[in-house]
Amino acid sequence: MEGQGSSEMQLTEIETNAGSLDSSVIFHVINDVAGFVLYMHQQIPSILQDISLEFDALQTEFKELDKDLRPTSRRMNLSRKREIKQGIRRLEKLMNTISSLQTALRLLISEIPNIQEVIFVLGASPLRPQHIYQLYFSHGKSVSRGEPDFTKGKAAEGLSRKAIRTLISKGAGSDSYPGPTKLFLLVKASSSLSMPLHFLPKRDFRYSKKIVPFRLRFKCKMQDKAMDASDYASQACSPNLKDYTSDDLIWFQCRHIIKGVAFKIPAEE
């Protein structure tokens, strides 16, 4: 069993009015929480969406400068191109890793739409965490499987906002490591499942009991009416929330590890 922390460790529930948590909602909640963790712990210079826009804008501008062959513009363009290259180089490795992790997550959710537990570890290694973020998903009514649509809809946006507001209210990000560190993604699933190659089994994963994780449980608002009260109570109190269909659950770690660049967040004026 992974580290359980102290008795003060609490699970905060976040509800959605939807009848179920579909693939798109789960993907965007996990992705947005990852971006929040990186930003609030000063591992990226701005929120994930802004970094993506900045990176795309730099690449577009570089291509446009290449097209301008006027002699009068060449000297000025060369200077600007050097600046843009530095900006692209500064963000390229980070953006490639984030993109790879997002691709791995989409593949995972496509294969296993009823993911029930995800964990983010911020630290030098999964065994030496500085911060732990655990996400649990109670899916509500079953949904027929089909080609997942990962478009970000209102349900995903609303649930992500709730999650981030809740984490801020709980003090997430208030204690940051002074320097670059790494973000690891682990998913709990049955050892009998055929996981995408992006994920490797981490059967013996444990973290220190001194670490008190931030724990969020996402659920559909109406589903508790169908649950037995005693089952619900035991589920809410269990650090591992073992409400799964399989008894042989292990952790799988994503091969794509995001290494922070430790930018300082500008102070508010």
Side-chain angles (χ1 to χ4, degrees):
M1 181 184 300
E2 67 269 21
Q4 295 182 14
S6 70
S7 59
E8 297 177 359
M9 180 175 61
Q10 296 180 350
L11 183 149
T12 303
E13 292 189 336
I14 298 177
E15 294 182 336
T16 175
N17 292 324
S20 63
L21 296 175
D22 62 24
S23 300
S24 176
V25 170
I26 294 170
F27 168 78
H28 287 292
V29 166
I30 295 173
N31 184 62
D32 289 347
V33 169
F36 165 82
V37 171
L38 289 167
Y39 178 62
M40 292 302 291
H41 289 286
Q42 300 184 22
Q43 297 303 305
I44 56 177
S46 57
I47 62 174
L48 207 51
Q49 184 179 6
D50 288 350
I51 292 179
S52 298
L53 292 173
E54 178 188 352
F55 188 66
D56 291 343
L58 288 171
Q59 291 180 313
T60 299
E61 185 179 355
F62 191 85
K63 291 176 183 177
E64 291 298 323
L65 289 174
D66 262 347
K67 295 177 183 178
D68 188 354
L69 302 178
R70 293 174 299 175
T72 55
S73 303
R74 182 174 296 177
R75 180 177 296 179
M76 184 172 61
N77 285 356
L78 285 173
S79 176
R80 177 58 183 155
K81 283 173 71 174
R82 281 195 295 268
E83 294 177 7
I84 295 173
K85 273 187 177 179
Q86 290 177 353
I88 291 174
R89 199 179 301 120
R90 174 174 60 94
L91 295 175
E92 190 168 29
K93 186 175 181 180
L94 173 67
M95 294 308 301
N96 287 343
T97 307
I98 290 172
S99 178
S100 296
L101 186 142
Q102 291 171 338
T103 298
L105 193 55
R106 287 190 185 96
L107 286 172
L108 174 71
I109 294 173
S110 297
E111 293 293 324
I112 312 172
N114 60 337
I115 289 175
Q116 299 195 44
E117 187 172 352
V118 170
I119 189 168
F120 283 110
V121 178
L122 191 72
S125 77
L127 301 180
R128 292 184 293 162
Q130 297 160 13
H131 302 281
I132 295 282
Y133 292 81
Q134 286 179 285
L135 310 180
Y136 305 95
F137 298 93
S138 295
H139 291 261
K141 66 181 182 180
S142 60
V143 181
S144 59
R145 292 195 61 175
E147 191 66 28
D149 178 10
F150 290 106
T151 303
K152 190 171 188 178
K154 290 184 178 180
E157 288 183 358
L159 209 56
S160 289
R161 283 198 297 269
K162 285 182 181 179
I164 290 170
R165 284 199 300 264
T166 300
L167 289 171
I168 291 173
S169 71
K170 298 292 182 181
S174 58
D175 179 21
S176 296
Y177 178 76
T181 188
K182 299 173 183 177
L183 185 70
F184 303 86
L185 169 66
L186 296 99
V187 178
K188 184 171 278 187
S190 170
S191 60
S192 62
L193 290 174
S194 178
M195 297 287 283
L197 294 177
H198 296 276
F199 290 85
L200 301 174
K202 198 81 171 177
R203 188 178 293 271
D204 296 327
F205 169 65
R206 292 176 174 83
Y207 58 83
S208 170
K209 293 181 179 180
K210 295 179 181 179
I211 301 294
V212 180
F214 293 94
R215 302 168 69 233
L216 301 179
R217 178 175 180 254
F218 300 89
K219 67 172 188 173
C220 303
K221 196 169 187 178
M222 301 303 293
Q223 74 186 80
D224 282 342
K225 293 183 178 180
M227 293 178 64
D228 179 84
S230 60
D231 288 342
Y232 174 82
S234 63
Q235 196 181 91
C237 294
S238 170
N240 296 306
L241 293 184
K242 293 188 177 179
D243 53 343
Y244 305 102
T245 57
S246 171
D247 294 327
D248 188 21
L249 298 174
I250 65 170
W251 288 103
F252 291 86
Q253 181 181 327
C254 184
R255 298 171 61 182
H256 307 294
I257 300 164
I258 300 176
K259 185 176 181 181
V261 286
F263 286 83
K264 290 291 184 181
I265 298 176
E268 293 184 1
E269 295 182 358

